[in-house]
């Protein structure tokens, strides 16, 4: 058994349901979308950088 | 959403299913490690009904796993196509994202598990209704939340790039199993004997066309021939060999072991690299018989089934090593570039990791001779060590000295379980590797409640003067750190008591407010002291990062509760620092000279005229 149960049980909700506050939902969705886009842009930049390095290697 | 069938096992036992959604939006390697952890949980809790949320481009592995209930694919590229190039189109994408999400929020989950540990996944997890959430999420005030200990560990230590030696698969497995134990109870006594232990992937759909011509005149289905697979690409060119090095390695294999079939593997992006390797091999006049160039030619199930059929996989830090770990193919992992093999290396018994101190030391010759040694291990071990073998084969002694070669082993449960990498060449331990052992040990003490004896995997052979010097330099800072943690704990308790004595926590006199402010300021000063201490001694960085992460995740509704939780955090940090100090003392004790018991015995003299052959009695000294 774990040493500290309270620290291992995670975030517990006795009555879970979809978020009811539409403003919170809207903001969370926007946060999700913004961070997805940021990650996608970062991946594309990384890929472009990697390709340019490989081009240099080949040359 | 793809539904893959219902859990017949749970229906038979009439145990209600545990609806578990797992958010894994990272790449294929992370998906595979998550699947390994989920398999362990599914074996012990067959009633787990797992829904995986994955990016569509990395969903192939999950589709081949029969015990995953549903797969919810995030079509990242098509969904974000317009918005990535034109940020003004974000609002147009939002309704599509909401529609995609609707299938995940209609019914509460028993467990929402976010194993991506990224910003985007925290927002998604925040939106999911669940009785229990583990991993990054968002609170209603939109701040980042990491509510459980193992998530704190990932955030503070793993993502903080602090050396630690617990494999990610073990972290994920322990996190989930502990939560299940808390919320569901112990597994059934006969759990673990389920059929999913037999096969991980379902390769019945594998359609790879094993053409005879692909192996240049050799039949594919020749059971007498062993296959060696080479994963030639990697996420970054520094994490794999150059085309010239791969070509040389293939050439050496072909020359020394012509009976083997050699298979080059890689994704579509590795075709250029493969063509270059092929040209180099052909230019060297290497016979092509038994060499197959499969990069870019395989779907996931074909690629994975080729790895399963191979006897060895030679690869950098790629998802191929996770596939091989799952299907039980031995791995020679070339740990190159910015890679932490202790966290993401091959999982299982008997895999080999080569980690050069200097990149130029890892030559194709060194790789081949290391593989050669381990591929005929029983024969080799009887006659010579790996170091002597490499030296005999002409590898430069200075390169051998600088090379780390390790073998993986799954620890026994009574030694803590999990995978460990043991040095088979150059056993001396670096300071960072020692720190990794201590950090992993402290995490187990915090979150598992039980640990084996301190330093049980250390011996005198591991230590050297540089390590002793570095470790000794930690004695004083650790002493100071323990004092700071004690003082912080006392201050937090004082704060809690002072608040508890107030009639109201919101309305109070000026004097009471100033008194509380004093305690709060003192806590801030003590935290700054830890920061300064860590700045001077970076080996203790985990404590500052833990303090930051834990403080951010305090969840009390009032000042008294926050004070109480703060005291708990500093108590835990103090215990960790105390454990660290015990590790220091243990290592320094190993370095002290020991009285060696004289076990030599005097050999009895045999008298010339003795007619009987006497058996020497080692317990009797002979005087003449």
């Amino acid at each position: 058994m774990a040493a500290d149960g309270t620290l291992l049980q995670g975030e517990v909700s006795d009555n879970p349901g979809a978020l009811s506050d539409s403003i919170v939902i809207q903001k969370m969705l926007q946060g999700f979308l913004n961070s997805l886009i940021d990650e996608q842009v970062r991946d594309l930049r990384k890929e472009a950088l990697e390709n340019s390095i490989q081009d240099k290697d080949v040359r | 959403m793809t539904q893959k069938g219902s859990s017949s096992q749970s229906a038979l036992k009439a145990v209600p299913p545990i609806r578990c959604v797992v958010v894994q939006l990272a790449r294929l390697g992370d998906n595979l490690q998550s699947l390994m952890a989920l398999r362990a949980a599914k074996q012990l809790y067959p009633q787990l009904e797992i829904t995986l949320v994955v990016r569509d481009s990395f969903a192939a592995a999950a589709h081949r796993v029969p015990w995953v209930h549903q797969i919810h694919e995030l079509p990242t590229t098509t969904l974000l196509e317009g918005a990535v190039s034109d940020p003004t189109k974000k609002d147009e994408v939002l309704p599509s994202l909401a529609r995609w999400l609707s299938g995940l929020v209609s019914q509460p989950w028993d467990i929402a598990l976010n194993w991506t540990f990224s910003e985007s996944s925290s927002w998604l997890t925040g939106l999911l209704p669940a009785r229990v959430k583990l991993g990054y999420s968002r609170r209603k005030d939109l701040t980042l939340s990491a509510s459980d200990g193992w998530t704190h560990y990932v955030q503070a230590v793993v993502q903080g790039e602090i050396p630690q030696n617990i494999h990610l698969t073990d972290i994920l497995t322990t996190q989930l199993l502990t939560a299940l134990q808390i919320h569901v109870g112990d597994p059934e006594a006969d759990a673990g004997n389920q059929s999913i232990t037999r096969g991980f992937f379902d390769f019945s759909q594998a359609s790879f066309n094993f053409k005879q011509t692909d192996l240049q005149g050799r039949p594919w289905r020749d059971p007498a021939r062993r296959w060696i697979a080479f994963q030639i690409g990697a996420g970054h060119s520094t994490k794999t060999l150059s085309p010239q090095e791969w070509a040389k390695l293939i050439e050496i294999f072909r020359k020394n072991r012509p009976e083997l079939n050699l298979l080059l593997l890689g994704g579509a992006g590795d075709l250029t690299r493969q063509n270059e390797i092929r040209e180099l091999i052909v230019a060297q006049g290497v016979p092509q018989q038994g060499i197959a160039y499969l990069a870019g030619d395989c779907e996931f199930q074909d690629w994975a089934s080729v790895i399963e059929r191979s006897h060895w996989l030679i690869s950098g830090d790629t998802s191929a090593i996770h596939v091989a770990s799952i299907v039980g193919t031995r791995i020679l992992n070339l740990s190159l570039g910015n890679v932490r093999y202790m966290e993401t290396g091959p999982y299982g018994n008997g895999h080999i990791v080569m980690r050069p101190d200097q990149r130029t030391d890892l030559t194709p010759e060194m790789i081949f001779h290391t593989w050669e040694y381990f591929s005929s291990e029983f024969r080799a071990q009887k006659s010579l060590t790996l170091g002597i073998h490499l030296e005999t084969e002409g590898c430069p002694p200075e390169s051998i000295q600088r090379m780390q070669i390790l073998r993986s082993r799954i620890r026994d449960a009574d030694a803590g379980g999990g995978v460990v990498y043991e040095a088979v060449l150059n056993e001396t331990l670096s300071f960072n590797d020692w720190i990794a052992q201590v950090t992993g040990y402290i995490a187990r003490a915090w979150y598992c409640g039980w640990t084996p004896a301190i330093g049980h995997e250390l011996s005198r052979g591991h230590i050297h003067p540089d390590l002793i010097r570095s470790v000794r330099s930690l004695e004083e800072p650790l002493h100071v750190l323990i004092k700071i943690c004690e003082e912080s704990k006392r201050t937090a308790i004082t704060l809690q008591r002072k608040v508890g004595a107030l009639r109201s926590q919101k309305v109070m006199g000026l004097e009471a407010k100033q008194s509380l402010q004093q305690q709060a300021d003192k806590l801030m000063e003590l935290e700054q002291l830890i920061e300064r201490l860590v700045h001077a001694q970076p080996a203790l960085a985990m404590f500052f990062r833990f303090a930051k992460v834990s403080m951010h995740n305090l969840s009390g509704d009032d000042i008294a509760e926050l004070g109480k939780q703060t005291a708990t955090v500093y108590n835990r940090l103090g215990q960790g620092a105390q454990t660290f100090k015990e590790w220091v003392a243990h290592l320094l004790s190993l370095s002290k000279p020991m009285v060696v018991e004289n076990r030599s015995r005097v050999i009895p003299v045999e008298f010339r005229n003795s007619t009987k052959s006497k058996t020497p009695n080692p317990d009797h000294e002979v005087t003449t």
Side-chain angles (χ1 to χ4, degrees):
Chain A
M1 184 57 198
D4 185 351
T6 53
L7 198 65
L8 298 168
Q9 64 184 2
E11 184 187 320
V12 181
S13 167
D14 294 331
N15 186 24
L19 291 168
S20 54
D21 187 333
S22 61
I23 295 174
V24 174
I25 295 172
Q26 185 75 7
K27 285 190 173 171
M28 282 212 188
L29 258 178
Q30 268 168 351
F32 184 33
L33 178 61
N34 289 342
S35 51
L36 276 176
I37 291 170
D38 288 348
E39 286 167 14
Q40 186 87 345
V41 170
R42 208 162 44 228
D43 280 356
L44 289 170
R45 280 189 191 145
K46 201 172 149 189
E47 207 173 300
L49 183 68
E50 173 63 13
N51 287 341
S52 75
I53 291 168
Q54 279 178 355
D55 285 349
K56 277 180 198 166
D57 287 349
V58 172
R59 278 200 293 273
Chain B
M1 189 182 296
T2 316
Q3 183 156 339
K4 297 173 63 182
S6 61
S7 173
S8 56
Q9 284 156 351
S10 60
L12 283 171
K13 290 195 167 187
V15 176
I18 306 165
R19 295 181 69 248
C20 177
V21 59
V22 182
V23 178
Q24 182 45 277
L25 300 180
R27 302 177 80 84
L28 183 58
D30 301 272
N31 269 275
L32 291 162
Q33 291 195 83
S34 297
L35 287 169
M36 286 168 81
L38 287 172
R39 175 174 66 167
K42 180 77 180 169
Q43 282 173 337
L44 291 170
Y45 295 87
Q47 69 270 41
L48 264 182
E49 197 178 272
I50 298 163
T51 293
L52 269 178
V53 184
V54 291
R55 289 175 191 252
D56 56 353
S57 43
F58 301 114
H63 280 291
R64 300 269 73 81
V65 179
W67 41 266
V68 169
H69 183 64
Q70 286 180 325
I71 298 164
H72 200 76
E73 293 183 23
L74 178 66
T76 324
T77 312
T78 49
L79 194 72
L80 304 178
E81 206 171 20
V84 167
S85 52
D86 182 0
T88 60
K89 289 187 177 167
K90 266 192 217 173
D91 289 343
E92 294 171 26
V93 179
L94 218 50
S96 308
L97 191 62
R99 270 194 299 280
W100 173 82
L101 187 70
S102 61
L104 290 170
V105 296
S106 56
Q107 201 184 339
W109 301 93
D110 293 314
I111 299 175
L113 197 53
N114 180 2
W115 276 347
T116 320
F117 301 105
S118 70
E119 165 111 8
S120 63
S121 64
S122 69
W123 293 107
L124 172 58
T125 311
L127 286 158
L128 298 176
R131 274 177 249 287
V132 177
K133 289 187 185 181
L134 297 162
Y136 289 175
S137 183
R138 291 275 160 179
R139 302 185 188 91
K140 284 182 184 167
D141 64 2
L142 307 180
T143 55
L144 180 75
S145 118
S147 56
D148 67 288
W150 282 111
T151 302
H152 294 178
Y153 188 70
V154 171
Q155 189 180 6
V157 173
V158 179
Q159 295 190 322
E161 300 200 345
I162 290 166
Q164 69 89 26
N165 73 344
I166 310 181
H167 198 279
L168 271 177
T169 303
D170 290 326
I171 291 177
L172 303 182
T173 308
T174 313
Q175 183 193 33
L176 177 56
L177 287 180
T178 311
L180 284 167
Q181 199 181 15
I182 292 171
H183 297 289
V184 179
D186 288 332
E188 298 278 327
D190 63 343
N193 302 326
Q194 305 299 328
S195 60
I196 57 166
T197 55
R198 272 189 244 127
F200 194 101
F201 293 118
D202 173 11
F203 290 143
S204 59
Q205 308 264 319
S207 59
F208 186 67
N209 184 12
F210 291 98
K211 293 174 192 166
Q212 190 160 326
T213 50
D214 285 336
L215 266 176
Q216 314 284 338
R218 277 188 188 169
W220 277 101
R221 310 273 182 203
D222 181 352
R225 290 194 188 279
R226 294 186 159 213
W227 296 12
I228 310 293
F230 302 86
Q231 182 74 22
I232 58 171
H236 194 277
S237 57
T238 55
K239 293 183 180 177
T240 185
L241 300 179
S242 68
Q244 291 76 11
E245 288 170 316
W246 280 119
K248 184 70 185 168
L249 184 60
I250 305 287
E251 185 188 335
I252 297 170
F253 262 95
R254 177 47 71 242
K255 186 179 161 194
N256 290 279
R257 301 295 295 270
E259 78 283 6
L260 296 172
N261 287 340
L262 310 176
L263 314 173
L264 276 68
L265 303 176
D270 298 320
L271 275 171
T272 312
R273 175 177 286 262
Q274 176 173 271
N275 290 338
E276 199 180 341
I277 295 169
R278 192 203 301 248
E279 281 169 20
L280 288 162
I281 294 173
V282 170
Q284 288 298 317
V286 177
Q288 293 295 294
Q289 195 182 41
I291 303 178
Y293 300 88
L294 304 176
D297 210 10
C298 297
E299 294 294 321
F300 172 81
Q301 65 268 26
D302 305 320
W303 172 64
S305 62
V306 168
I307 292 174
E308 186 184 41
R309 168 68 175 76
S310 300
H311 285 82
W312 280 85
L313 169 77
I314 299 179
S315 171
D317 184 56
T318 68
S319 51
I321 64 171
H322 303 306
V323 171
S325 298
I326 288 170
V327 298
T329 297
R330 282 190 87 184
I331 300 159
L332 178 59
N333 175 213
L334 312 173
S335 185
L336 298 168
N338 185 21
V339 165
R340 290 154 64 122
Y341 68 84
M342 289 185 201
E343 291 174 1
T344 58
Y347 199 96
N349 284 311
H351 302 305
I352 307 303
V353 177
M354 296 183 77
R355 176 86 186 155
D357 187 31
Q358 289 183 18
R359 174 63 184 84
T360 47
D361 289 336
L362 190 74
T363 58
E365 290 82 1
M366 178 86 90
I367 297 168
F368 173 77
H369 292 304
T370 301
W371 170 84
E372 185 184 40
Y373 181 84
F374 286 105
S375 69
S376 55
E377 197 165 351
F378 296 112
R379 198 155 30 102
Q381 274 187 349
K382 280 182 186 168
S383 51
L384 75 176
T385 64
L386 174 61
I388 293 172
H389 169 75
L390 293 176
E391 213 167 322
T392 310
E393 294 296 341
C395 298
E398 60 277 13
S399 296
I400 298 170
Q401 276 174 11
R402 288 190 295 250
M403 183 73 62
Q404 252 191 308
I405 299 181
L406 309 108
R407 180 169 37 201
S408 67
R409 178 175 67 83
I410 301 291
R411 290 188 195 93
D412 292 338
D414 59 3
V419 71
V420 61
Y421 298 93
E422 296 170 325
V424 275
L425 182 71
N426 302 327
E427 286 192 346
T428 52
L429 195 68
S430 71
F431 183 51
N432 264 1
D433 287 352
W434 181 79
I435 294 285
Q437 287 196 20
V438 182
T439 310
Y441 185 94
I442 291 172
R444 288 191 186 96
W446 280 344
Y447 306 134
C448 299
W450 176 87
T451 44
I454 281 176
H456 76 292
E457 285 167 350
L458 277 179
S459 70
R460 283 170 180 271
H462 289 115
I463 60 176
H464 51 92
D466 285 346
L467 178 63
I468 295 164
R469 229 182 341 267
S470 302
V471 170
R472 187 167 281 139
S473 72
L474 296 173
E475 279 184 304
E476 186 56 32
L478 272 167
H479 180 71
V480 175
L481 180 63
I482 290 168
K483 293 274 175 211
I484 297 173
C485 290
E486 283 169 358
E487 188 57 30
S488 302
K489 182 183 157 189
R490 268 196 297 273
T491 308
I493 291 171
T494 307
L495 180 70
Q496 182 198 355
R497 284 187 185 149
K498 286 194 171 187
V499 174
L502 293 171
R503 283 187 189 167
S504 162
Q505 289 188 31
K506 290 175 184 165
V507 183
M508 64 187 83
L510 188 61
E511 198 180 325
K513 190 182 169 189
Q514 281 174 340
S515 174
L516 293 183
Q517 189 61 49
Q518 269 179 1
Q519 300 303 316
D521 289 346
K522 191 175 173 187
L523 276 173
M524 294 285 284
E525 281 170 24
L526 288 163
E527 192 181 308
Q528 283 165 4
L529 265 181
I530 297 180
E531 187 174 11
R532 275 161 49 195
L533 186 77
V534 164
H535 189 69
Q537 184 47 273
L540 302 178
M542 68 171 287
F543 292 99
F544 179 62
R545 287 197 53 90
F546 256 109
K548 292 292 258 187
V549 169
S550 303
M551 290 301 156
H552 175 81
N553 284 292
L554 297 181
S555 58
D557 291 331
D558 54 46
I559 305 171
E561 179 58 28
L562 290 173
K564 186 181 166 190
Q565 288 191 22
T566 303
T568 308
V569 167
Y570 279 110
N571 186 47
R572 191 180 305 121
L573 287 176
Q575 286 170 354
Q578 186 60 42
T579 306
F580 208 124
K581 197 177 162 189
E582 287 166 24
W583 271 81
V584 169
H586 171 265
L587 188 112
L588 296 180
S589 74
L590 281 181
S591 68
K592 285 179 184 162
M594 274 178 67
V595 178
V596 180
E597 190 189 344
N598 187 358
R599 290 180 180 275
S600 62
R601 304 290 184 186
V602 177
I603 300 168
V605 176
E606 203 169 301
F607 295 103
R608 282 184 189 172
N609 295 333
S610 173
T611 50
K612 287 183 182 173
S613 171
K614 290 181 181 173
T615 306
N617 184 346
D619 293 331
H620 294 163
E621 288 187 6
V622 173
T623 53
T624 54

